[in-house]
Amino acid sequence: MSASLKSFKTVDEYIKATPKKVQKLLKEIRRTIKRTVPQTIEAISYQMPTFKLNNKNLVHFAAFKNHIGFYPSPSGIRAFEKDLQPYKSGKGSIQFPLDEVIPYDLIQKIVEYRIKEVERNLKVNN
């Protein structure tokens, strides 16, 4: 099931459109992100829940039939390449299978990395 087949306006709306089991996982990913970076702004971008910091995309996630996609940018993938070996990943995406434990601690580390990256880029560009 891909929740992205519908047009969403809020993260709550997106999460509610997924099966109950998946909602629980998405809510915990959301809590992990918000706990790590409370000042993040939630949005829908590319029809996915998106978290922004300083008006820059920090991370996205999306629900699919067999996995949750997590999108921390290509640099977020490269920085945690070793930790991500058990998961299918691409240039800017990670797939967390629904039938396995979601690595919330790893998600937190990736978000922390992305915060530093966004803040560093902001300093360089100002």
Side-chain angles (χ1 to χ4, degrees), residues 6 17 19 24 27 56-57 67-68 86 88 96 101 113 126:
K6 186 180 173 199
K24 186 177 177 182
K27 286 178 183 179
K56 302 291 182 196
N57 289 344
H67 71 276
I68 292 174
K88 184 175 180 182
F96 297 124
V101 175
Y113 173 84
N126 281 332

Side-chain angles (χ1 to χ4, degrees), residues 60-112:
H60 313 269
F61 62 75
F64 295 91
K65 183 178 179 181
N66 296 311
H67 71 276
I68 292 174
F70 186 68
Y71 307 90
S73 82
S75 61
I77 302 293
R78 283 190 307 271
F80 293 89
E81 193 173 352
K82 186 176 179 182
D83 298 306
L84 294 171
Q85 284 180 351
Y87 307 100
K88 184 175 180 182
S89 62
K91 182 178 177 183
S93 66
I94 308 160
Q95 292 183 10
F96 297 124
L98 293 176
D99 60 353
E100 295 179 19
V101 175
I102 303 293
Y104 300 108
D105 57 336
L106 179 56
I107 290 172
Q108 179 178 343
K109 289 176 188 176
I110 294 170
V111 171
E112 289 168 348

